[in-house]
Amino acid sequence: MSVKKTDEILLHPEHGRLPARRLIECIFALSPAGPILHHHIEEVDVRTEGDATIYTLNGAAPGAERYRCQVIPPLVPQFPVLD
């Protein structure tokens, strides 16, 4: 049986709504130009909107221990397709 993942969206100040995925404490999002953006949970506010998880950048800096973060981002097909 397959379980549908809920949509995850990063609200980005320059790019708007971006498809996102959370892995551990990292938030990855696909930018319109192609690179995968990488933020950490302390850099976003999290809320639920319907069936979607919405991450909004809050201006906080990543924790000092994050400078060595090496979490590998998900493959592009793992990101939700936004309407």
Side-chain angles (χ1 to χ4, degrees), residues 6 20 43 82:
T6 60
E43 297 177 78
L82 301 180

Side-chain angles (χ1 to χ4, degrees), residues 2-83:
S2 174
V3 175
K4 180 186 182 299
K5 293 182 181 178
T6 60
D7 286 342
E8 294 178 83
I9 299 164
L10 174 69
L11 295 182
H12 192 277
E14 291 178 38
H15 305 300
R17 295 169 66 94
L18 300 176
R21 279 287 176 234
R22 178 178 175 175
L23 294 176
I24 311 171
E25 293 185 345
C26 297
I27 309 297
F28 295 99
L30 284 179
S31 72
I36 294 176
L37 305 177
H38 183 177
H39 296 283
H40 294 99
I41 197 67
E42 63 270 17
E43 297 177 78
V44 299
D45 295 325
V46 183
R47 74 177 193 279
T48 302
E49 191 176 282
D51 290 337
T53 301
I54 310 293
Y55 305 106
T56 304
L57 294 174
N58 61 21
E65 71 281 5
R66 304 287 190 200
Y67 81 97
R68 295 187 64 170
C69 180
Q70 295 184 17
V71 174
I72 298 170
L75 299 173
V76 171
Q78 294 298 313
F79 289 89
V81 176
L82 301 180
D83 296 329

